[in-house]
Amino acid sequence: MKRLLIICGGILLVFGLILPAYAILKLGDVNGDGKASMVDAMLIAQYAKGLIQLTPEQLLAADIDGDGKVSTYDARIIANYVAGNIKSFDNILKLGDVNGDGKVTAVDAMLAAQGAAGLRQLTPEQLLAADVDGDGKVTAYDARIIASYVVGNIKSLDNVQRLGDVNGDGKASMVDAMLITQYAAGLIQLTPEQTLAADIDGDGKVTAYDARIIASYVVGNIKSFDNILKLGDVNGDGKVTAVDAMLAAQGAAGLRQLTPEQLLAADVDGDGKVTLADSKRILVYVAGLIKSFDDTLTVSIGTIKKDRLISDGGIPFVPRMGTTKENILER
């Protein structure tokens, strides 16, 4: 809905009444120069960060989505308008409200996830509303943020941190990797927003693997967090199976070229390289002997470490393809 805003009084037609005034600011024209521009987007961003003050009239002009507050989302809307991605401010959706029903729900998270996966075509306005972390693209992370908001883990979508930026300084760095490592070890606490930003692989928990992903990103081994695989899921089918163990073994033996993301997923012991020990560990996980790749399991015949099962006699035992917990224990 189009809106006209008063600066210092002026003439405004309200329900057929003419009110005296001096000037009128159009929606998005925060500096009053007659057009919405990147200068206006910059002013809004500065205000949202607490760097400047705006007059009440400017605040009205700056609230592009009409949610009663001025945020960086309003600045992004103007930037998209200036770039020609949207043609007007008429059909703007509130942040996170992808289906435009006036509220943020699990349906919006689903639509964002479908848009990120290429399963649904989103309108320019929907793309803006779905990009809750403001990185200029709609990803599975945006869907996770919306879902977290819906269940009450986070209270607002306004100041969400970007994926990997745990300390909120605007970039993913070794500092963020260190914070994740400390959190995973139980040494520090993270806010709900930080926990979201730290869960790089999107498995719902923050682990040392997330820290390793960031470290790999910082040194340039991976170019983004877009195609990250879950630990152990080397073929990216969403589950860890004996096929992943086979792929890890082939990669370790030089029989198969693994992508940087696959190398990360295959390195389940986190030693920085893919070896047969990783393949064995994946098999042990598939057999149900461990619940995660961080576990150490004690059974009647020995103890499983990160890379091998040691029998009572100290002889390494290597599970074969198709090994189950039961036939291991029968040996």
Side-chain angles (χ1 to χ4, degrees), residues 104-106 109 143-155 196:
V104 179
T105 68
R144 297 201 301 269
I145 295 170
I146 294 175
S148 188
Y149 172 78
V150 170
V151 299
N153 290 339
I154 58 174
K155 304 303 181 187
L196 265 175

Side-chain angles (χ1 to χ4, degrees), residues 234 242-256 258 266 274-280 282-283 321:
V234 186
V243 173
D244 299 300
M246 179 187 69
L247 292 175
Q250 290 175 339
L255 301 176
R256 179 182 292 268
L258 300 180
V274 177
T275 67
L276 287 177
D278 295 300
S279 177
K280 298 171 193 173
I282 292 173
L283 277 178
M321 289 287 182

